[in-house]
Amino acid sequence: MTSKVKDTDSGHSAPTGPGNGPRTENGPRTENGPRTENGPRNGNGIPYEDPGRETTASPAGSLFGPGSQFHRFFNDPRWALAVVRATVLEAAHPQIGAALADNSSFVVHPWRRLSNTLVSLQRMFGADEHVRQREAARLNRLHSRLSGTDARNQPYDAMDPEVRAWVVATLFESSVTMCRLSGQPLDQETMEGLYAEFQAFLAALGDRAGHLPPTLPEFWQYYDRMVAEELQNTEALRIILYKLFEHLPAPPLFAGMPTVWATGRALAGPVIGTVTVASLPEVFRRRAGLPEVPGAQTLMQGAYMAARLARALPDNWVQAENVVTLLNLSPDGDSPMAETLTTLRARTKRAAALFRLITPVPAPRDATSGPDGAGSRRDARAFFTEVLDQTGDGSLDWPDLAAMARELCSRLDLDEPEETRLYDAFAAWWRELQSALDSDGDGRVSEDEYVAAAPSLAGPALIRVAETLFDAADADGDGSIDAEEYRALFRRGFGRTVLDAEGRYSRSAFVRDFLSFMSGRHRSTLYDPLLSDA
């Protein structure tokens, strides 16, 4: 006879009883000729839109689309808390934590990571089967490039089926927990339906059944075992809880308001961290030695209840896509809201002067305005920190350049073989940098090593990166970038300074501008938002 134990934190019952270089894909590579794809890129929308292709509906009885539980949760304000909690539980897994610490740019570019994650989830859980298949293939290619060994020489591999199952498990369990903590626990039937959707999500990635338990009671057994025996207080977990929240960089919307952002972050950062820790399973909090802050449970309950009440706001105020679009809005863009934002920012800067008089928060220098604004020169150390060090660990190595390639591939919605071609170009550039700059032979380039040789960095491999990126952006292969292709990469309309006499962005101009930026000599209203914005 089996007994039942109840975990008071998760609220369920269960019966007891990269080497030296990047990995490349095994696929054909076509070095010449225009790209062929399953569909065009839209640059910033959710699906891979193609006006000439009919939407491929999900099969009958599909667990995806507007009628799914996930679709209802996606724009629920409570889900923001659930996603943060799930991310912490993922980071506590030794393999996932090691992969995040070594390869992820989430510390330096958290808003970019958030935007990309939301787009990916919408594609995977949307109604269009073709979009889902393309996104699953893209995710598998991305994960296949994330493998290596951690600081203790233990291997990690993002394609490990057990690792992928845990990522899905944290999203499901955190969705269930968010409902319970906000006073609206899911009934058994709804919970089983939601679990079936997340199982289908894992299956859509190509993982065989069995890596997630087949039934809900077995899942809670699996979850309890993972929490009690497998999760650890990893470096990635500590970075998220004690560095990311309290040092969160401003999104583009607030980039010109450093004092306002710093003041808000100083208040909200510790609160978010405290709420997240308080929501984690008690058994894990004890094992990981996470601090018990007095009143944290009450604060956590209040946060979830407030998020529940926020559901009463107008739909367009709480839709995830709208919120992320707003946070990524830049006054330099050509959005209809850009002019309004510019006016609002000017008024807010005047208010920021008052904040500086009444608060001790220092005002960081605004590197994008005044004499140091777009088009101005910057020193090599600033470029190293702002652009090259994508992972924020203080040095330059392959994961930093891979993060650049990953972002560019995502912007352009590249398929194979173009995606691998761009990764290979960045890999060649890394080998060139390592050979020229790694004077102490430790396998990475320090800031001092970079600064000493910065004037001579525009070598053949970097030129090849520029040319490969141009070929990827030039979707129709006509030898120039038109307005649509330009927007796909830069998410803004043509700037008059880049156009030739025929109103296009030529290869030579593109390569010249890219090299000028990547050699660290000039700021750019195009490439800084692409590669250095948070």
Side-chain angles (χ1 to χ4, degrees):
M1 178 176 179
T2 59
S3 61
K4 296 269 186 178
V5 295
K6 188 174 182 71
D7 182 294
T8 57
D9 290 277
S10 56
H12 58 263
S13 297
T16 61
N20 293 323
R23 177 186 300 182
T24 56
E25 303 287 318
N26 296 322
R29 301 183 185 183
T30 306
E31 295 300 330
N32 299 305
R35 178 169 77 195
T36 58
E37 288 190 284
N38 293 330
R41 310 148 311 200
N42 63 6
N44 59 359
I46 300 307
Y48 302 90
E49 295 175 353
D50 183 352
R53 181 184 65 81
E54 292 186 3
T55 299
T56 306
S58 299
S62 173
L63 297 170
F64 302 110
S68 66
Q69 289 291 334
F70 177 85
H71 190 271
R72 285 189 283 273
F73 281 155
F74 190 79
N75 292 312
D76 190 321
R78 298 174 298 173
W79 211 62
L81 295 171
V83 169
V84 172
R85 181 180 183 276
T87 301
V88 171
L89 289 171
E90 291 170 22
H93 188 289
Q95 285 202 60
I96 299 173
L100 286 173
D102 283 357
N103 300 279
S104 181
S105 61
F106 72 94
V107 173
V108 182
H109 305 287
W111 302 107
R112 187 171 80 189
R113 170 70 183 271
L114 172 64
S115 178
N116 290 343
T117 298
L118 292 178
V119 167
S120 181
L121 285 172
Q122 284 188 286
R123 288 172 173 175
M124 288 298 297
F125 280 93
D128 194 316
E129 185 67 22
H130 170 74
V131 167
R132 182 164 35 258
Q133 290 174 1
R134 279 198 66 199
E135 182 63 14
R138 187 191 70 83
L139 289 173
N140 286 334
R141 294 195 303 270
L142 185 155
H143 292 157
S144 73
R145 294 184 169 98
L146 301 179
S147 63
T149 55
D150 63 17
R152 297 177 300 173
N153 207 34
Q154 296 297 309
Y156 65 82
D157 186 349
M159 286 296 287
D160 184 328
E162 298 296 336
V163 169
R164 285 151 67 99
W166 178 244
V167 171
V168 176
T170 63
L171 287 170
F172 166 71
E173 189 276 339
S174 291
S175 299
V176 172
T177 297
M178 84 173 186
C179 295
R180 178 177 57 81
L181 293 179
S182 60
Q184 293 183 319
L186 299 178
D187 60 62
Q188 186 70 17
E189 182 179 355
T190 302
M191 197 184 305
E192 289 180 349
L194 181 64
Y195 185 56
E197 291 173 13
F198 278 99
Q199 287 178 306
F201 169 58
L202 192 61
L205 291 172
D207 287 21
R208 298 190 308 275
H211 296 298
L212 275 181
T215 66
L216 198 54
E218 291 173 298
F219 171 82
W220 295 127
Q221 284 185 302
Y222 156 79
Y223 177 80
D224 287 339
R225 178 185 63 78
M226 291 292 294
V227 168
E229 301 175 8
E230 300 294 332
L231 302 191
Q232 300 176 11
N233 188 346
T234 63
E235 178 188 2
L237 180 145
R238 294 190 296 273
I239 288 174
I240 293 172
L241 291 179
Y242 306 121
K243 180 178 179 181
L244 177 59
F245 292 147
E246 296 188 16
H247 300 85
L248 190 67
L253 176 65
F254 293 99
M257 299 176 281
T259 303
V260 173
W261 178 256
T263 302
R265 181 182 59 193
L267 297 173
V271 172
I272 297 172
T274 299
V275 167
T276 302
V277 170
S279 71
L280 298 174
E282 182 180 357
V283 64
F284 174 66
R285 295 201 307 268
R286 292 197 303 266
R287 286 185 64 243
L290 299 178
E292 296 285 346
V293 178
Q297 291 294 322
T298 301
L299 180 63
M300 179 264 293
Q301 293 281 356
Y304 274 88
M305 290 300 295
R308 172 185 168 183
L309 294 175
R311 299 165 69 195
L313 294 172
D315 288 345
N316 62 334
W317 287 22
V318 297
Q319 286 184 349
E321 184 180 353
N322 291 347
V323 172
V324 172
T325 298
L326 179 63
L327 289 173
N328 285 309
L329 186 64
S330 170
D332 296 325
D334 62 348
S335 164
M337 295 180 64
E339 185 176 348
T340 302
L341 176 61
T342 301
T343 302
L344 177 63
R345 179 169 292 185
R347 293 178 179 175
T348 308
K349 283 186 176 181
R350 289 196 292 270
L354 177 60
F355 274 116
R356 287 195 291 272
L357 292 176
I358 62 176
T359 66
V361 180
R365 183 172 67 88
D366 185 356
T368 61
S369 63
D372 292 324
S376 67
R377 298 177 69 84
R378 63 175 149 199
D379 64 37
R381 292 188 185 278
F383 183 76
F384 184 92
T385 301
E386 296 169 10
V387 179
L388 293 180
D389 185 14
Q390 292 277 309
T391 59
D393 63 356
S395 63
L396 173 63
D397 55 10
W398 165 243
D400 295 300
L401 270 62
M404 292 186 197
R406 190 161 58 242
E407 176 61 15
L408 293 170
C409 288
S410 176
R411 283 283 185 110
L412 295 171
D413 287 337
L414 296 185
D415 282 329
E416 292 290 24
E418 291 76 16
E419 181 181 287
T420 291
R421 192 178 301 148
L422 188 59
Y423 269 93
D424 287 348
F426 272 93
W429 184 34
W430 165 239
R431 290 191 294 269
E432 184 177 83
L433 288 173
Q434 188 178 30
S435 175
L437 306 184
D438 183 17
S439 57
D440 59 8
D442 66 350
R444 57 184 60 196
V445 176
S446 69
E447 183 177 314
D448 289 338
E449 289 172 330
Y450 171 79
V451 170
S456 60
L457 289 183
L462 182 58
I463 295 173
R464 179 58 180 159
V465 169
E467 292 175 339
T468 305
L469 179 58
F470 177 89
D471 290 338
D474 179 20
D476 58 13
D478 68 350
S480 63
I481 294 178
D482 60 27
E484 181 180 353
E485 294 163 345
Y486 187 90
R487 182 177 292 279
L489 178 59
F490 297 113
R491 294 181 181 169
R492 59 187 299 168
F494 266 148
R496 280 175 284 184
T497 58
V498 306
L499 300 180
D500 59 18
E502 297 180 355
R504 290 174 173 255
Y505 199 10
S506 68
R507 172 185 287 270
S508 60
F510 181 96
V511 171
R512 180 195 65 230
D513 292 346
F514 183 85
L515 294 178
S516 175
F517 175 76
M518 293 305 294
S519 60
R521 289 297 160 230
H522 293 90
R523 299 185 185 277
S524 168
T525 55
L526 295 180
Y527 290 103
D528 271 300
L530 179 61
L531 294 173
S532 66
D533 272 2

